[in-house]
């Protein structure tokens, strides 16, 4: 199979113990796939490690931004813009903490032409988040329930492990995304679903992170609930606002 038209996007913040690992895992699986890392000035030196990787491997690009304040969602938006601007056909997005096992990349690629968006889901198999502590399990399941109720979506809307079939998706969906932090994940999927893009899920297993710390704060949970509710209200009152105008 040819991989020249596929880009993998990985945002990083303080992932010094994970970047080399994830890079070598991906490379050992697929030797010629392009990878884009976007680092937000990680104080732990992740950016430097990434520069060293990209010096040795021409298929690795690193974007450096100067602060974390822009948000994880804005990192993804920048990654998606990059993929369109370089005319890739497919973009795979994933976390750096190895909770998104690189082995699943192959599965995403296998079904890339059966969907406009492929989403890795934690809610099809019972053992997907077996490793996690009770608090995270509960939070994840409640988040899922809230997104089913408020967005009317059955998918795993808060995960970052996705494949975008870029030729099928109108780039201007990016202009409709308001939330630049964690809410980006459910808002972007809501917009794609609203515009009738075909979303297909594949079950993934998520081990919890081994190295480094979670960047999600408790305030993100509150913001997420508020933003879910805000989309719910918009669905009722101004649902057309999510329509893509090309
Ligand atoms: N560039 C960039 N990357 C970020 C930022 N916040 C988080 N990340 C990265 O986004 C991915 C997901 O972040 P995590 O902290 O793992 O969030 P999570 O998966 O919800 O939480 P845990 O898995 O429990 O740690 C990881 O690769 C992080 O390094 C950010 O502000 N900027
Ligand atoms: Mg994670």
């Amino acid at each position: 199979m040819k991989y020249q038209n596929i880009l993998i996007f990985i945002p990083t913040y303080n992932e010094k113990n994970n970047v080399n690992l994830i890079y070598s895992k991906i490379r050992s699986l697929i030797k010629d796939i392009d990878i884009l890392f976007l680092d937000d000035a990680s104080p732990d030196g992740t950016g430097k490690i990434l520069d060293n990787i990209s010096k040795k491997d021409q298929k690795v690009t690193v974007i450096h931004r100067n602060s974390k304040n822009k948000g994880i969602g804005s990192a993804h938006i920048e990654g998606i813009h990059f993929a369109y601007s370089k005319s890739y056909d497919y973009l795979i997005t994933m976390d750096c903490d190895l909770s998104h096992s690189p082995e699943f990349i192959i599965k995403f690629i296998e079904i890339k032409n059966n969907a406009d968006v492929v989403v890795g889901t934690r809610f099809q198999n019972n053992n997907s988040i077996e490793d996690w502590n009770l608090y995270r399990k509960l939070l994840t399941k409640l988040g899922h329930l809230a997104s089913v109720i408020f967005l009317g979506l059955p998918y795993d809307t808060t995960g970052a492990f996705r494949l975008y079939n870029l030729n099928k998706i109108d780039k201007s969906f990016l202009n409709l995304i308001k939330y630049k932090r964690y809410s980006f994940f459910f808002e972007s999927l809501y917009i794609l679903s609203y515009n009738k893009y075909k979303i297909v899920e594949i079950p993934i297993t998520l081990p919890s992170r081994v190295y480094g710390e979670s960047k999600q704060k408790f305030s993100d949970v509150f913001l997420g609930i508020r933003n879910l509710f805000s989309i719910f209200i918009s669905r009722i009152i101004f649902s057309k606002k999510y329509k893509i105008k090309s």
Side-chain angles (χ1 to χ4, degrees), residues 9-15 38-42 65 67-73 75-76 94-97 99-100 122 132 136 158 160 181-182 185 206-209 212-216:
F9 170 68
I10 306 173
T12 60
Y13 188 77
N14 281 353
E15 300 287 2
L38 188 155
D39 186 67
D40 276 337
S42 299
R65 302 195 302 186
S67 128
K68 188 185 185 308
N69 294 336
K70 292 179 172 149
I72 176 71
H76 276 256
M94 63 193 292
D95 291 352
C96 187
D97 58 7
S99 61
H100 293 161
R122 295 162 284 186
W132 295 21
R136 277 305 294 268
T158 54
R181 296 185 180 276
Y182 280 93
F185 296 108
L206 256 89
S208 56
R209 67 158 65 232
E213 285 171 10
S214 174
K215 279 96 217 173
Q216 254 197 60

Side-chain angles (χ1 to χ4, degrees), residues 156-215:
D156 186 340
T157 55
T158 54
F161 210 174
R162 297 180 178 175
L163 178 144
Y164 299 90
N165 190 336
L166 300 172
N167 292 325
K168 298 275 186 71
I169 303 172
D170 189 326
K171 182 183 168 186
S172 55
F173 89 98
L174 293 168
N175 303 334
L176 298 169
I177 298 169
K178 180 171 142 198
Y179 300 126
K180 304 294 182 317
R181 296 185 180 276
Y182 280 93
S183 305
F184 157 85
F185 296 108
F186 57 75
E187 189 187 28
S188 56
L189 210 60
Y190 179 74
I191 292 167
L192 291 166
S193 166
Y194 179 86
N195 286 282
K196 308 266 184 298
Y197 287 110
K198 184 176 173 193
I199 298 168
V200 172
E201 289 191 302
I202 54 170
I204 53 168
T205 315
L206 256 89
S208 56
R209 67 158 65 232
V210 177
Y211 301 112
E213 285 171 10
S214 174
K215 279 96 217 173

